[in-house]
Amino acid sequence: VKHTISFVNIYQKKGSSMKLPEIIINILQKNIMMRVFVAIEITNNDVINSIKEFQENVNIDAKPVELKSLHFTLQFLGEISEEIAQKIIQSLKTIEFSSFDVNLKEIGAFPKPKFPRVIWIGTDENGGNMLIQLSKKVEKVLEPLGFFSDKPFKPHITVFRIKKKIGDISGELKNHKMVNFGIQRVSNIKLKKSMLTASGPIYSDLVEVNAKK
């Protein structure tokens, strides 16, 4: 509000080619915060169907992540302004990488199967290493903007979220230990916005950066 009043005073004293409502809209847009992260989406239908089958068959009292929302989070950036979002977009566009394959396999839980809050699917070693290298490229171009990862990147996609105490699920995870969910081709990364709602987060794309080949 203080910013709006000061701009109105300047407008009244000096005049402006912009209409007053436009000035106020611009101020509000610059101060609106958004929750964003850099991600790789799961788009292979065979992989998605395999994950759907796992979500339906595993005997765990947990909320499944919507299939359309499955992704790797390369870096979570938190709440930012529109102005900073534009700087992030320009930085991400400088990243160069080649397409590669990731085999989705293995199942685990954070922080541990005895006290699970998240159930995840991991990757093969080579694909995981490629994801780690890509995450480092993301972090490198965003460091000048003040963004740093608070913990090492562990390649995984979240498939269940657990909000209540359900006990040890080690045995149930072991029953699905050998499941191979298929191969996801990584050919782009996205800056995504997350809007939190009562029924879960809603994601939208801010920019897509494609692999060079």
Side-chain angles (χ1 to χ4, degrees), residues 77-132:
L77 304 178
E79 299 278 345
I80 64 167
S81 66
E82 172 65 28
E83 183 179 2
I84 296 299
Q86 291 305 315
K87 292 181 179 180
I88 291 172
I89 287 171
Q90 294 308 313
S91 295
L92 291 177
K93 286 181 177 180
T94 67
I95 295 176
E96 295 188 2
F97 67 100
S98 299
S99 299
F100 59 93
D101 291 334
V102 177
N103 189 188
L104 295 174
K105 55 191 296 188
E106 300 184 5
I107 300 164
F110 291 143
K112 58 180 66 175
K114 289 186 177 181
F115 310 101
R117 303 301 295 173
V118 163
I119 297 172
W120 50 262
I121 294 173
T123 72
D124 65 305
E125 183 176 359
N126 183 64
N129 286 336
M130 295 295 287
L131 286 170
I132 290 171

Side-chain angles (χ1 to χ4, degrees), residues 38 73-77 132 134-140 142-143 146-154:
V38 183
T73 299
L74 294 179
Q75 190 170 348
F76 178 72
L77 304 178
I132 290 171
L134 185 51
S135 73
K136 288 180 178 179
K137 290 185 177 183
V138 170
E139 184 172 9
K140 183 177 180 180
L142 296 184
E143 280 182 357
F147 294 99
F148 301 89
S149 296
D150 57 357
K151 54 187 176 182
F153 171 69
K154 179 177 175 59

